[in-house]
Amino acid sequence: METSKSLNATTYITFDGYVDLHKFRYLYFVTVLLVYILIIFSNATIVCLIWTRKSLHEPMYIFIAALLLNSVLSCTNIYPKMLIDFVSEKQVISYSACLVQFFLLYCFGGSEFFLLAAMAYDRFVSISKPLQYPNILTNTTVIICLVLAWFVPALQSTISLILLHNTGVKLCNMEVKGIFCNNAIYTLHCVRPRSVTIFGVLAVVDNIVLPLLFIVFTYTKILSIVNRSCKEVRKKAAETCLPHLLVLFSLTCLSAYDIIIVRTESDFPKTVRMIMTLQIFVYQPLFNPLIYGLKMKEIHKHLKLLIYRAKII
């Protein structure tokens, strides 16, 4: 029979998602450290280009910079603790620190969908109302979109933590089937409060489903417009919209894993679970700067110029 445990400052949770850590701990450490450095370098390079080049001070590129910065912050929430776990005898985290990691994880995760929705709106206005674009996508509008993109997920994550705290949950399980604190923390509780479950569903709808529906609607309208337009307009639309759609597709697939597999407590093999979990913080943060650096014409042009100057120096 499982025994419950009251929560206090010394309550520790064990991560049970690592595979053969005793054999490959140093290989894991070096590999993940190199990946983390590459993520920071690649994303920071694009963000700095957008920051320093006046020709890139447009709403579309500002949203891209925000998305890449969001990826770096999201990875920083996960990677340092993971690196510590690789070289530690026990892979543990305090329950309070676990909740903080959980909070930041879904703050940044929800923000990605809102930022992609803002990009979709930017492209829609640019293609459907090119002459009115400067009057619609003003600096104030851009700032409001950025604030909402980070504030709404943060507010919902805060409410989730408040609900957990106020319902006085107790732990019947001290192991997380994973390598960081995500939705799997709900499996630790003896009983999942109904209020937490209901609000969790609402948060998924607000942070993922609604932005996705908005993006699908927006790009459907864009597709309808470009089909009636000349070849030059279709080419411009493809250059600017395709990277956003590729990023959206990969993010949606990876988020589906976290929502469906983790919440339904599917009995996946530990190796598969670890690989899929790592993909969220390896594939997406490296994929974004690669796509925007190669597929966005203006960014690619400045990136080539930067590489050329570096060679000369």
Side-chain angles (χ1 to χ4, degrees):
M1 182 177 177
E2 291 181 313
T3 58
S4 64
K5 181 174 181 177
S6 298
L7 304 180
N8 55 61
T10 58
T11 302
Y12 284 91
I13 310 300
T14 301
F15 291 124
D16 189 38
Y18 292 101
V19 179
D20 291 330
L21 189 57
H22 61 288
K23 291 182 181 179
F24 304 116
R25 66 171 70 248
Y26 296 111
L27 176 61
Y28 286 157
F29 180 87
V30 172
T31 303
V32 170
L33 179 61
L34 291 175
V35 169
Y36 184 40
I37 293 172
L38 183 58
I39 287 171
I40 293 176
F41 176 77
S42 58
N43 284 274
T45 299
I46 304 297
V47 171
C48 288
L49 274 179
I50 294 171
W51 179 269
T52 57
R53 302 299 191 270
K54 287 188 177 181
S55 62
L56 298 179
H57 291 180
E58 297 179 9
M60 176 175 63
Y61 300 114
I62 292 173
F63 290 138
I64 289 174
L67 183 70
L68 300 184
L69 178 61
N70 193 77
S71 291
V72 172
L73 293 174
S74 182
C75 288
T76 301
N77 177 43
I78 301 298
Y79 276 81
K81 177 64 175 88
M82 196 184 301
L83 290 170
I84 293 172
D85 285 339
F86 288 144
V87 294
S88 301
E89 288 301 318
K90 294 183 179 180
Q91 292 69 50
V92 298
I93 186 171
S94 68
Y95 184 71
S96 57
C98 187
L99 289 179
V100 171
Q101 193 175 63
F102 167 86
F103 170 80
L104 293 175
L105 175 67
Y106 292 107
C107 280
F108 297 129
S111 295
E112 291 212 26
F113 283 97
F114 278 97
L115 289 170
L116 288 171
M119 292 181 193
Y121 177 66
D122 170 86
R123 291 301 83 206
F124 172 72
V125 174
S126 174
I127 293 170
S128 64
K129 301 177 181 179
L131 298 179
Q132 301 175 42
Y133 178 81
N135 297 324
I136 297 175
L137 266 296
T138 62
N139 289 337
T140 302
T141 304
V142 172
I143 291 172
I144 290 173
C145 288
L146 293 176
V147 170
L148 288 176
W150 276 302
F151 176 75
V152 174
L155 176 63
Q156 293 181 332
S157 294
T158 300
I159 294 174
S160 293
L161 293 183
I162 292 173
L163 288 174
L164 279 175
H165 177 74
N166 290 343
T167 49
V169 295
K170 292 185 177 181
L171 304 184
C172 282
N173 177 25
M174 306 305 293
E175 287 186 347
V176 171
K177 289 184 178 180
I179 56 179
F180 54 82
C181 295
N182 55 5
N183 273 321
I185 68 169
Y186 292 126
T187 64
L188 303 175
H189 304 142
C190 300
V191 178
R192 186 183 303 180
R194 189 177 180 184
S195 59
V196 173
T197 302
I198 293 173
F199 187 79
V201 173
L202 292 175
V204 169
V205 172
D206 288 345
N207 288 340
I208 298 178
V209 177
L210 291 181
L212 271 177
L213 290 176
F214 176 79
I215 293 169
V216 170
F217 171 78
T218 303
Y219 277 104
T220 300
K221 297 289 287 184
I222 291 174
L223 186 62
S224 175
I225 293 170
V226 298
N227 278 339
R228 301 193 303 266
S229 304
C230 63
K231 184 178 179 181
E232 187 64 29
V233 173
R234 290 198 296 270
K235 182 181 177 181
K236 181 183 177 182
E239 287 176 353
T240 57
C241 294
L242 184 60
H244 301 324
L245 290 174
L246 290 173
V247 170
L248 175 66
F249 178 77
S250 64
L251 177 63
T252 303
C253 290
L254 293 172
S255 298
Y257 163 79
D258 181 74
I259 296 169
I260 298 172
I261 303 302
V262 177
R263 275 189 172 269
T264 57
E265 301 178 30
S266 300
D267 191 21
F268 264 52
K270 187 182 287 189
T271 303
V272 175
R273 187 182 289 269
M274 182 177 174
I275 292 172
M276 287 298 297
T277 303
L278 278 174
Q279 278 196 71
I280 300 174
F281 292 96
V282 174
Y283 177 73
Q284 191 71 17
L286 290 176
F287 182 71
N288 288 355
L290 181 65
I291 285 295
Y292 290 121
L294 295 179
K295 293 296 183 181
M296 299 298 288
K297 187 176 179 180
E298 283 298 310
I299 295 178
H300 184 58
K301 181 178 71 176
H302 286 287
L303 193 58
K304 287 201 302 184
L305 183 60
L306 181 66
I307 294 172
Y308 176 73
R309 287 176 176 175
K311 287 182 178 179
I312 294 177
I313 295 174

